[in-house]
Amino acid sequence: KSIAVNTLIRAKIGSSTDLDWFRFTVSSTQRNVRIKLSNLPADYDLRAYRSLSVLGTSATNGTADEQVIINNAFPSTTYHIRVSGYNGAFNNNQCYELIIETSSTAFREGG
């Protein structure tokens, strides 16, 4: 599913084999990206791709928030995000929250 940047979305991992895929593009003036996965009802992981290349992975334990930062992204390029349950984790009753934030200023990575 194509999603807009800087817009909060809610979705569910509805079964142990469910994988949620999203795609987005960035503008030439807002080339820094922070992908945040929060309000997790189960242990979910986050992965970001450009074509077949993995650009970042976040796989913290439990229901802690996940985050991937891509600074200096290529404008007008399609990026993909995959949300999955760790070891088949899912919750068909509660949504998680996903937002892709963009900025002209680089996001701080790490700590």
Side-chain angles (χ1 to χ4, degrees):
K1 176 179 178 174
S2 184
I3 59 175
V5 297
N6 300 311
T7 303
L8 181 70
I9 66 156
R10 291 178 177 84
K12 293 179 187 175
I13 298 292
S15 73
S16 63
T17 58
D18 191 4
L19 298 174
D20 286 358
W21 286 94
F22 303 96
R23 67 180 173 271
F24 68 97
T25 57
V26 297
S27 72
S28 60
T29 59
Q30 303 276 309
R31 295 180 48 202
N32 302 293
V33 179
R34 177 170 53 199
I35 305 160
K36 294 168 69 174
L37 184 64
S38 60
N39 195 32
L40 304 180
D43 189 357
Y44 296 165
D45 295 334
L46 175 65
R47 187 171 283 187
Y49 299 84
R50 185 182 76 233
S51 296
L52 299 176
S53 299
V54 176
L55 300 177
T57 299
S58 181
T60 57
N61 291 329
T63 57
D65 293 352
E66 308 286 353
Q67 175 176 280
V68 171
I69 292 175
I70 308 165
N71 285 320
N72 296 312
F74 294 105
S76 304
T77 299
T78 300
Y79 292 86
H80 292 87
I81 300 167
R82 185 184 81 180
V83 178
S84 60
Y86 176 72
N87 278 342
F90 73 98
N91 185 316
N92 195 34
N93 297 314
Q94 185 178 342
C95 293
Y96 62 82
E97 295 179 343
L98 176 71
I99 189 164
I100 303 162
E101 300 171 312
T102 60
S103 174
S104 59
T105 305
F107 288 101
R108 182 176 172 202
E109 297 185 50

